[in-house]
Amino acid sequence: MSQYPHARSRRTLAAALTVVLAGLLGAVAVAQGPADAAGPLISQGRPATASSAEGAGLAAPFAVDGDPGTRWSSQFGDPQWIQVDLGQTAGIDQVVLAWEAAYATGFRVETSTDGTSWTQIYATTTGTGGTQTLAVNGSGRYVRVYGTARATGWGYSLWEFQVYGTAGPSTGTPISEFKNVTASSWEGGNAPAAALDGRTTTRWSSQFSDPQWIQVDLGGAATITGVTLVWESAYATAYRIETSTNGTTWTQVYATTAGRGGTERPAVSGAGRYIRLTGTARATGYGYSLWEFQVFGAVDTQATTPPMLSGPTRPPATTGQFALSAPANGAMVTNTRRPPLSWAAVGGAARYQVWLNVSRTDYDFAASGNLVDLYTKVAEPTGTSYTPTWDIADRWTYKWYVVAVNGSGGTVATSNIRQFSLYVPTLEAVADGVGIVSGARDLNRDGAIQPYEDWRLPVESRVSDLLGRMTLEEKAYQMFYNAQAFAQSGWHFGPADAADLHANLLRASGTRLGIPFVSAGDTIHGYKTAYPTQSALAAGRDYPLDYKLGDMQRREQLEVGTRGVLGPLAEVGTKVLYPRIQEGNGESAEVAAAQVRALVAGLQGGPELNPASVLATVKHWPGEGAGGEALIVYDAVTIKYHMIPFRAAIEAGAVNIMPGYAGSSYLDPGGPGAGDSAPILAYLRQNLGYTGLITTDWLPSGSWVGAARAGSDVMGGADPGAPGYSIGTFTAGVPAARIDDAVRRVLRLKFQLGIFENPYGDPVNGPYRLHTPQYTSLANQAARESMTLLRNNGVLPVRLNAGDNIVVAGPRATDSGACCIWTSYFHQEYGSQNILEAIRARAARAGVNVYQDTGPSPKLAVVAVGEGSYTHATSWVKEQPYLPADQLAVIQGFQRQGIPVVVLLVMPRPYVITEWHELAGAVVVTYRGGEEMGPAAAGLLFGDYQPRGKLPWQLPRTLDQVLRPGGGDVLADANEQWDLPYDLGATAAQRNEIRARIDAGQPVPTGYGNPLYPFGAGMTGF
């Protein structure tokens, strides 16, 4: 502080000297001006604020006043920022920064629609000072310069902060973003969709000739109010923009022969579902290259969105009081997406309510019953017919009924319930050698359409026809994986690179009958956007969000043609030592049921398998959470508890179930694992009424014949080319009738998925529609909702002063893999920071410094501990479910120094934390929180949101509540009952009460036993 007056006088002198140069600086800024094709200056005179100001005469508004002799100057610390409010959302082309001598070497430029959430549009760590003219591309009402590294010991000082762009129709979120796109050509990896992905580092580039075009399907009738073209250096001097309602007939809405490149916002308005830019003259010898092709306006979704005049509703108890006329019961509609519905007139009816079981996103996933039996009121006509006003999506089980009501809305009568299917596919247009004959794909290339190739026929007719054409060997291959090596195999083990997957699908189209395969992999918590594992989702208990996550994964997988997933799990985790408890749904069967319903329905895109579905593979039958992968120990009573989520999956429409490795001492005493146990599989068919596909877990080749004979339909992961094995071995050991039975189920699923008509994804453009900001936002929401605050003595939320220090330590702080398991992938372009990176980024917004492991005078230590990523085994000995000594020592070390400690606990399975939890000022459980685990944890620490997650299991008070002293993972050494929920430290009487409630079909209270933290523990505020 004693140096401040001296510094102040020096700064005043510096200011006086630089005023002499102000005219020159201003002249430079004005002379340079906006680059070609940039919009006008839109920031001058607008309200401006800053993180700080060195004095009253150096406040933020002086940087946007247009006077080159006035300036903003910050305090002498990092970070600092200045922001301007443009008054409305604007498209931003360029930012000019006229620095005083105290400039930034590291800074970023960000935009925001609300002044709270920011999007980076420029960043550098090598700022040069002087006058910097930055070509940017973004939109927002607010623009901020965020300084992170100063070139001098002073603060940050700007003579002028100028923002150029255009406010008006070409702003906001483009209606073209991530939409389907085609082009006349593309060059290298610069696919057409790169111009629609919002990323400033990807572009579409055409071949080097004229003309070339790029065309966007906006997804519905659109009103177009503006277009923004962000050209790379290879731009068009002449181009036109056209719109179309059908993609065939085009109307020109703009043309120029004076294109300037850079960012152009041509005056475009019009209407149509399709918009096309055609370049006719190139500025260079290269092709046409666009960083972004943005279309603004509004899309009318009414044509594809059913009117929902009610919530999802069960039908009335009394039906059949009058008749429905058309469509006929069981009809297959193949000629329209708007089939007329009609019924008999009813005396005394003033109008009629039409109820249809359309797919919804807002089912009550916690309620039992088949989702396909929930109806929505879609119309109330006064006459006896109704033609839908929207395009009904492809589905195999539409059910509908009509209620006649009187003038006051009272029910007069209810019709019978009828059923129809609707399938109107757009055939795949891929150069795979399969011709189109009579409106169908000629899969066997014989020049005619056979019944199995005719999509207008019922699924069962197609199945029977195809089965009758197949050799025994061809049938057997449908029960095997490894389509990578055997094109006739029915299944492909993914995930695969989009181009490799497409190449294999092309090979399958060239087989004798052209039967496509289904690609499925262990992407059990996300495909390219990794959301939290199911145990973490069970902490959040947000079932509508679970549906959205499943739906997000479905959309991502469809982009590239992978049509299956080996998940979700329908297991209840009642055994602490089971390593894969992390993949399950926690300890509550009711939570598990709701969660599995939501995930299955989301993956299917509705209450049943359909041509827009991803095939869910529900596992591990019959519930390995009650014992593990070696032996399931439930009995005639407790099996009822573990069946609850499997029944829910079936009610949600699941048609593929995977048996696990474990046998069951109850269902098949002394027998083999579930996949090759006839009694265990028979229980699934007979007691649960399951009629779908059974796909084994990965079994050795010596088990395949036995598994098929026992009732398994697909040999999971089985390679027919395994050493010493052949398809002949399989067909010799499995009865032909059993093979026919299995293959009938396989083919049925494939026809229901619509892959005979549309086997492919889009390997060129599809990858650009993966991992969008919207998808990352869903993953972040799920991570936030799962975060569980077990303990807080007031240390959270972090309320430190600018300049204070935090230390982040522990083995999980920089472990980018601990968030996830199996083969879900996450990316860097939208977040995906590890814990240290995320805390550092969030702390910077508060002016707080973050150090790794050690730092000067820390006010807080954040210690990230727990297990790294694993799947079938634990990171450390599973019989030791507590922090290893080295991790415990990190917590103790800070505590001994008197530094408040926040423990971020990556806890994929229940731990014993008794030894240390009171040493921590706060304990936050992150589970495996998906790719946004780091940012979500950082946001919680700084109070960006309130905690709400609840423990999905009990936490043991002591290890002897789980194991006898020195015991191993065997039933004889267990002190908990592996098949019972909520029994850690429970008495025999309490366990008898739990069993009695399960036997009576009653919910089990969660307060039994004597755990350190009970099931459902978690603070809902700070």
Side-chain angles (χ1 to χ4, degrees), residues 650-674:
I650 295 170
E651 289 177 342
V655 288
N656 193 16
I657 289 179
M658 175 181 285
Y661 293 123
S664 167
S665 57
Y666 169 64
L667 296 177
D668 189 3

Side-chain angles (χ1 to χ4, degrees), residues 438-586:
S438 301
R441 282 167 53 83
D442 181 17
L443 296 165
N444 66 357
R445 295 174 167 85
D446 67 352
I449 293 302
Q450 306 304 330
Y452 84 93
E453 299 166 329
D454 190 350
W455 54 267
R456 289 153 292 218
L457 294 178
V459 166
E460 293 306 320
S461 298
R462 300 179 72 184
V463 169
S464 295
D465 178 73
L466 179 53
L467 197 63
R469 297 173 185 273
M470 299 171 72
T471 66
L472 182 60
E473 181 179 273
E474 286 170 330
K475 292 174 185 176
Y477 269 113
Q478 288 298 307
M479 301 172 68
F480 279 78
Y481 268 72
N482 203 13
Q484 293 95 319
F486 298 90
Q488 65 271 52
S489 289
W491 303 83
H492 172 280
F493 183 51
D497 174 83
D500 290 342
L501 176 61
H502 191 71
N504 285 314
L505 285 166
L506 289 172
R507 289 178 59 237
S509 73
T511 58
R512 187 178 76 91
L513 295 168
I515 303 173
F517 60 75
V518 172
S519 179
D522 281 303
T523 50
I524 64 170
H525 63 121
Y527 179 59
K528 294 292 184 178
T529 304
Y531 51 85
T533 53
Q534 286 178 231
S535 55
L537 295 180
R541 300 187 209 174
D542 185 344
Y543 310 128
L545 176 60
D546 295 342
Y547 177 95
K548 291 178 183 177
L549 296 171
D551 181 66
M552 171 187 75
Q553 181 167 349
R554 176 183 71 89
R555 294 173 185 272
E556 286 199 328
Q557 292 195 207
L558 289 177
E559 290 289 356
V560 294
T562 176
R563 299 300 300 273
V565 58
L566 301 177
L569 276 73
E571 295 178 4
V572 188
T574 55
K575 177 189 174 186
V576 167
L577 294 185
Y578 177 36
R580 298 184 72 177
I581 197 173
Q582 66 171 340
E583 300 175 46
N585 303 278

Side-chain angles (χ1 to χ4, degrees), residues 560-875:
V560 294
T562 176
R563 299 300 300 273
V565 58
L566 301 177
L569 276 73
E571 295 178 4
V572 188
T574 55
K575 177 189 174 186
V576 167
L577 294 185
Y578 177 36
R580 298 184 72 177
I581 197 173
Q582 66 171 340
E583 300 175 46
N585 303 278
E587 202 165 357
S588 166
E590 289 74 24
V591 170
Q595 190 156 287
V596 170
R597 276 193 194 93
L599 288 170
V600 168
L603 288 165
Q604 291 175 163
E608 66 169 354
L609 198 71
N610 66 75
S613 293
V614 161
L615 176 65
T617 305
V618 178
K619 59 187 188 184
H620 298 93
W621 173 260
E624 291 180 348
E629 293 185 309
L631 182 65
I632 299 169
V633 300
Y634 49 56
D635 56 24
V637 172
T638 53
I639 189 175
K640 297 177 182 179
Y641 190 77
H642 292 270
M643 289 302 100
I644 290 172
F646 282 99
R647 293 184 187 277
I650 295 170
E651 289 177 342
V655 288
N656 193 16
I657 289 179
M658 175 181 285
Y661 293 123
S664 167
S665 57
Y666 169 64
L667 296 177
D668 189 3
D676 46 1
S677 167
I680 293 176
L681 300 183
Y683 190 92
L684 175 60
R685 298 270 188 223
Q686 296 166 12
N687 292 66
L688 271 68
Y690 177 69
T691 60
L693 196 71
I694 295 176
T695 299
T696 73
D697 211 328
W698 273 217
L699 297 175
S701 58
S703 299
W704 296 341
V705 168
R709 294 178 68 96
S712 291
D713 301 312
V714 174
M715 307 301 106
D719 179 0
Y725 203 82
S726 70
I727 282 292
T729 306
F730 187 78
T731 56
V734 182
R738 172 78 268 273
I739 292 175
D740 279 359
D741 178 51
V743 176
R744 182 174 291 276
R745 290 193 183 93
V746 172
L747 297 178
R748 180 182 296 123
L749 292 185
K750 291 185 175 183
F751 283 118
Q752 289 172 336
L753 283 169
I755 59 175
F756 284 83
E757 285 67 57
N758 286 282
Y760 307 106
D762 184 347
V764 174
N765 294 300
Y768 290 92
R769 294 188 285 265
L770 305 174
H771 202 259
T772 68
Q774 293 84 354
Y775 293 163
T776 305
S777 178
L778 282 176
N780 183 271
Q781 180 186 349
R784 286 185 173 208
E785 292 185 3
S786 71
M787 295 282 155
T788 303
L789 181 60
L790 286 184
R791 173 182 171 83
N792 184 25
N793 66 5
V795 70
L796 294 182
V798 173
R799 291 288 185 263
L800 300 181
N801 296 319
D804 285 344
N805 299 330
I806 291 176
V807 170
V808 178
R812 302 287 77 81
T814 56
D815 183 352
S816 296
C819 67
C820 307
I821 56 174
W822 282 109
T823 45
S824 295
Y825 297 99
F826 52 99
H827 300 254
Q828 292 301 317
E829 57 258 50
Y830 300 124
S832 304
Q833 300 164 316
N834 63 36
I835 287 172
L836 173 63
E837 292 166 341
I839 293 175
R840 181 170 282 151
R842 178 59 185 87
R845 289 164 50 191
V848 174
N849 305 310
V850 173
Y851 296 87
Q852 184 177 358
D853 296 332
T854 186
S857 304
K859 296 294 182 67
L860 181 71
V862 179
V863 181
V865 292
E867 286 176 281
S869 183
Y870 67 81
T871 300
H872 286 267
T874 54
S875 291

